[in-house]
Amino acid sequence: MFEGKYDVVCLSDCCCDIIFSGMARIPSLGAEEYAKTLTVTSGGGANTAVGLARLGARVGYVTAIGEDFFGGVLAGKFREYGVSGEFVQKSDSAATWLSAVMSSGTDRAFASFAGTPVRFDAEIAAQVLPRTRHLHTYAYYGLKFKALTALCQEYGVSYSLDSSFDPGLTLKDLEPLLKPASFFTPNADEALSLTGETDVKKALGVLKNCCGYVIITMGKDGCLAAKDGNIFRVDAAPVSQVTDTNGAGDLFAAGLLYSHLKGEPVDVQLKTASASGSLGVTFAGGMDDSYNLAAVKTLAEKI
């Protein structure tokens, strides 16, 4: 067991992804299509944790998996990529989340099974938060675990929020979470939905009044950010091929977290994040051996 403090602890459910990639098209009902590659790996919220570990950060992960075949796959992937299993909630009675992903490179479809949800309460926080510099999670969990903000403040731990699309979610719902957050990273659709705006720049103008550092991801169009009264625009990093966009947003967050916690300038943070996310579309699933800090830095220099 790692004895010091983690750089980041991630909090989320995770799933075992079975990815059919390189498909000519996503099959219609009753039709069959063949994939060029088949990958079985960790997915969902695990992508950010795994990405951070591959970049060299010390990473813990609060998640839940079962003592089943797919839980074994995930535990093995965490060990392989250097994510600590210290805070993983594992039991015989738990079921592992599972997702079958079909990807054509430009489009994708999912069939998923919801397993046992992760738990986070004052008892778990007392084990986790004294052991980390920073907590990263999704807005969904901030709303689900209502004491999260207060617990982070109690233990002096900063936190950041990714977003997860929920058309019924309002900015009023999120505002108490966003004010204390280190940063918030919705994608363009999420930003527009939350603010009711039809233009990303206007959406950013609304969100920056709710959180001190907002980064809106825009896929192939890069990202748009606001911090300390300044607006930043960074292009996506150029890549030679798009294999699978699954997990690219999570790896964007991994690159941003890594650079942010090193105290690098905002433009460097955004370029690192953009390069990390762009590198993520060049392989199937949330991770590949080609993903590492040197590759991310090299790609960031091309932006």
Side-chain angles (χ1 to χ4, degrees), residues 8 35 65 70 98 145 156 173 181-182 200-201 210 218 241 269 280:
V8 183
I65 61 176
F70 296 110
L98 181 66
F145 305 124
D173 297 327
S182 296
V200 174
K201 290 181 180 179
C210 301
M218 302 183 294
Q241 64 176 13
Q269 294 178 33

Side-chain angles (χ1 to χ4, degrees), residues 135-153:
L135 180 77
H136 179 71
T137 189
Y138 294 79
Y140 167 82
Y141 300 99
L143 294 171
K144 180 179 180 179
F145 305 124
K146 299 186 184 302
L148 185 143
T149 297
L151 287 167
C152 285
Q153 291 173 336

Side-chain angles (χ1 to χ4, degrees), residues 75-100:
K77 288 296 181 182
F78 297 159
R79 287 192 298 270
E80 177 185 349
Y81 290 126
V83 175
S84 171
E86 180 180 357
F87 305 129
V88 173
Q89 299 158 13
K90 193 174 182 181
S91 71
D92 290 333
S93 60
T96 304
W97 295 63
L98 181 66
S99 189

